[in-house]
Amino acid sequence: MGSPRDGSSETAHSTSSSVRALGNAVEEAFPLTQRPSASANLPHISISASKPPNKPLSWLGKFKRAATLMAQPKNPIGKAPTVWKSIQAIVFASWLNVLLVFIPISWAMNFALPDQHTLTFVFAFLAIIPLAKLLAFATDELSLRVGQTLAGLLNATLGNAVELIVSIIALAKCQLTIVQSSLVGSILSNLLLVLGMCFFAGGLRFSEQGFGQSAVQLNSSLLTISVIALLLPGAFHMALQGQPQYDESSTDYNILKTSHGVAIILLFIYASYLVFQLFSHKALYDDDNEDMQKTKDYRGENPFRLHRMRRNITEGETVSSPSSAHEGEPAATLHRPADANPDMEPGTHSSMETEVEQPLMSLTVCLWLLVVVTILVAVTAEFLVDSIDGLTSSGSINKEFVGVILLPIVGNAAEHVTAVTVSVKDKLTLSLGVAVGSSIQIALFVIPFIVTLGWIMNKPLTLLFDPLESIVLFLSVLTVNYVVQDGKSNWLEGMILMCLYMILVVTFWYYPGTQGIFPDC
């Protein structure tokens, strides 16, 4: 046992400890004074001085940061294949490669039989189709290695490269009618033929297919603006005819100057559209956007007898279209999340872990393919344009039909196949991106760019298109706007668009066309 003195000392010690702890607690709760520390007399070292303050990035730093983000791919890239594997991927990329044999044939026909314009046109026509497919294949492979924004810019730039090359060659050869009619024909084929085939093919498998209503309505507004820009020069010309002060020469040059100014404004609109689509409102164009309309299957048996491959649905798993699910859906509606889709396209959202993207070509082979295909397209397109005059001189076929109907098939055939294929897989958003997106690019970028290039080359290319072409383009955009305004599609709407395109084919077969205001450039 301890002594009383020891007990009293322990009691005093515990009491002093309690008082000290209470004092510390009060002081921490109400820090009115600062306790002196052992280091109070030491020199004060600021911790913040050891770390430099975060200064705002300069414009050069922001540019470098944005460039780094744009060059960084969304998914990790696997090991690049060898040169031999890359060549094999190019050869077996598409069954359209069998048409590559027409490249040397068209070249030989152009030099050996220069008077056989019809054969040269046919062979060059068939040769450019697989080249357009290879150009798209190389663009997709290059897009894997960069970020989503830069990939979108690449696809937007190279998406209509064939039409751009053909238009530049025709412009250099003063084929102004061919330039205008081929560009209008590309818009018409994308809006009516391609979109109609997508709606029809998907409608044979689904009762209704849904897509993003807001994005499509915005695209319709952009197409309407471009059509207005093409109609204004015609109204300008028509309003002054018959006036006492009307001077044809001065009016034509005023229309040319107006076209130059409108072209620059259209290019600005296209640049704003790219910023909107690729930067500020990227989510608006995603498959999982809440604005996406739902896709419905046929109730009971498919009347077209195109039965879908059904999967066993486990508990908690549903089968649907890539569009987002909504409440209150009938029993006939199927919902398949994106991660359950075996044919998921790049950029589709998935709840699965990020997979490694395996490229089919090495970067060096991909770049060389882009260069070689571009050169082959340019040379073959020159032979194609040179043979048009000889083809139409006999009178059996006119330039309007060649430009509006035939030439758009050259650059859009590969895209047509892709758009229809993915629409059957219920990826209508991707199909709309191919069809409507290509039309917007031609209307807001290719046409004003060619007009501006003609301004630089001193070629009098204007936005005063053939009157029938302008009216047909306006009515086609109006029809498509009515068809897509509800955010749903079915096979009958596709049939309507395709039949309208066939009406245009018959019309332009017999339409001789009109002479432009600058026949001799």
Side-chain angles (χ1 to χ4, degrees), residues 394-408:
S394 61
S396 58
I397 188 173
N398 56 67
K399 282 189 176 183
E400 287 293 325
F401 185 82
V402 172
V404 176
I405 305 301
L406 294 183
L407 288 184

Side-chain angles (χ1 to χ4, degrees), residues 75-143:
N75 297 328
I77 305 298
K79 184 180 179 181
T82 61
V83 176
W84 175 245
K85 291 291 185 180
S86 301
I87 295 176
Q88 284 183 329
I90 295 173
V91 173
F92 298 104
S94 172
W95 59 269
L96 290 174
N97 287 345
V98 298
L99 299 178
L100 292 174
V101 68
F102 290 107
I103 295 178
I105 295 177
S106 63
W107 291 22
M109 290 295 300
N110 181 77
F111 294 109
L113 300 173
D115 295 333
Q116 298 295 327
H117 301 288
T118 302
L119 292 178
T120 302
F121 179 86
V122 172
F123 291 143
F125 181 89
L126 294 175
I128 295 180
I129 293 177
L131 291 176
K133 179 63 177 178
L134 288 178
L135 192 63
F137 176 62
T139 304
D140 292 339
E141 283 295 309
L142 190 60
S143 299

Side-chain angles (χ1 to χ4, degrees), residues 1-8 10:
M1 294 180 60
S3 62
R5 183 177 180 179
D6 294 337
S8 61
E10 289 179 1

Side-chain angles (χ1 to χ4, degrees), residues 315-360:
E315 184 178 358
E317 179 184 2
T318 58
V319 179
S320 89
S321 67
S323 57
S324 58
H326 293 269
E327 297 180 358
E329 177 64 19
T333 302
L334 301 179
H335 295 279
R336 186 192 311 110
D339 54 357
N341 194 343
D343 300 312
M344 186 168 55
E345 293 291 329
T348 305
H349 294 273
S350 174
S351 59
M352 300 169 59
E353 294 182 359
T354 303
E355 297 181 357
V356 177
E357 294 282 359
Q358 183 60 43
L360 299 177

Side-chain angles (χ1 to χ4, degrees), residues 116-387:
Q116 298 295 327
H117 301 288
T118 302
L119 292 178
T120 302
F121 179 86
V122 172
F123 291 143
F125 181 89
L126 294 175
I128 295 180
I129 293 177
L131 291 176
K133 179 63 177 178
L134 288 178
L135 192 63
F137 176 62
T139 304
D140 292 339
E141 283 295 309
L142 190 60
S143 299
L144 290 178
R145 295 171 167 85
V146 296
Q148 282 185 308
T149 301
L150 190 57
L153 290 174
L154 284 174
N155 291 323
T157 304
L158 301 177
N160 291 291
V162 175
E163 291 91 337
L164 189 60
I165 293 173
V166 172
S167 299
I168 291 174
I169 293 175
L171 178 64
K173 297 180 178 295
C174 289
Q175 295 277 7
L176 303 184
T177 302
I178 293 297
V179 174
Q180 292 179 329
S181 59
S182 64
L183 295 178
V184 171
S186 295
I187 299 176
L188 294 176
S189 65
N190 281 314
L191 287 181
L192 300 180
L193 181 62
V194 181
L195 195 60
M197 292 177 66
C198 292
F199 287 172
F200 181 78
L204 295 181
R205 193 171 181 182
F206 302 94
S207 175
E208 281 185 355
Q209 286 184 288
F211 45 86
Q213 190 173 2
S214 298
V216 173
Q217 285 297 319
L218 176 63
N219 294 341
S220 299
S221 301
L222 292 173
L223 287 173
T224 304
I225 291 175
S226 63
V227 171
I228 292 174
L230 299 183
L231 291 177
L232 287 179
F236 189 110
H237 188 266
M238 186 179 299
L240 294 180
Q241 285 183 342
Q243 298 294 328
Q245 68 276 14
Y246 174 73
D247 183 16
E248 183 176 1
S249 177
S250 62
T251 301
D252 293 345
Y253 279 100
N254 287 334
I255 292 177
L256 180 61
K257 294 176 182 178
T258 303
S259 300
H260 294 162
V262 173
I264 295 175
I265 297 175
L266 291 178
L267 290 174
F268 175 76
I269 295 176
Y270 181 72
S272 303
Y273 166 68
L274 288 181
V275 173
F276 181 87
Q277 183 182 21
L278 301 176
F279 292 93
S280 63
H281 289 71
K282 290 190 295 184
L284 191 63
Y285 296 87
D286 290 339
D287 279 340
D288 58 352
N289 184 26
E290 60 182 9
D291 186 54
M292 196 75 70
Q293 299 293 321
K294 46 187 173 294
T295 294
K296 298 180 181 179
D297 196 9
Y298 282 101
R299 293 181 179 272
E301 184 180 359
N302 189 328
F304 299 102
R305 300 186 182 278
L306 296 178
H307 298 286
R308 301 174 58 188
M309 298 298 294
R310 298 178 181 270
R311 301 179 181 179
N312 293 328
I313 303 177
T314 59
E315 184 178 358
E317 179 184 2
T318 58
V319 179
S320 89
S321 67
S323 57
S324 58
H326 293 269
E327 297 180 358
E329 177 64 19
T333 302
L334 301 179
H335 295 279
R336 186 192 311 110
D339 54 357
N341 194 343
D343 300 312
M344 186 168 55
E345 293 291 329
T348 305
H349 294 273
S350 174
S351 59
M352 300 169 59
E353 294 182 359
T354 303
E355 297 181 357
V356 177
E357 294 282 359
Q358 183 60 43
L360 299 177
M361 292 187 297
S362 63
L363 181 59
T364 304
V365 176
C366 182
L367 294 176
W368 273 108
L369 180 62
L370 280 174
V371 174
V372 172
V373 170
T374 303
I375 294 175
L376 292 177
V377 169
V379 177
T380 310
E382 184 175 2
F383 299 155
L384 180 73
V385 174
D386 288 338
S387 62

Side-chain angles (χ1 to χ4, degrees), residues 498-509:
M498 289 191 297
C499 290
L500 177 56
Y501 187 76
M502 296 307 299
I503 292 174
L504 299 183
V505 171
V506 176
T507 302
F508 282 104
W509 175 262

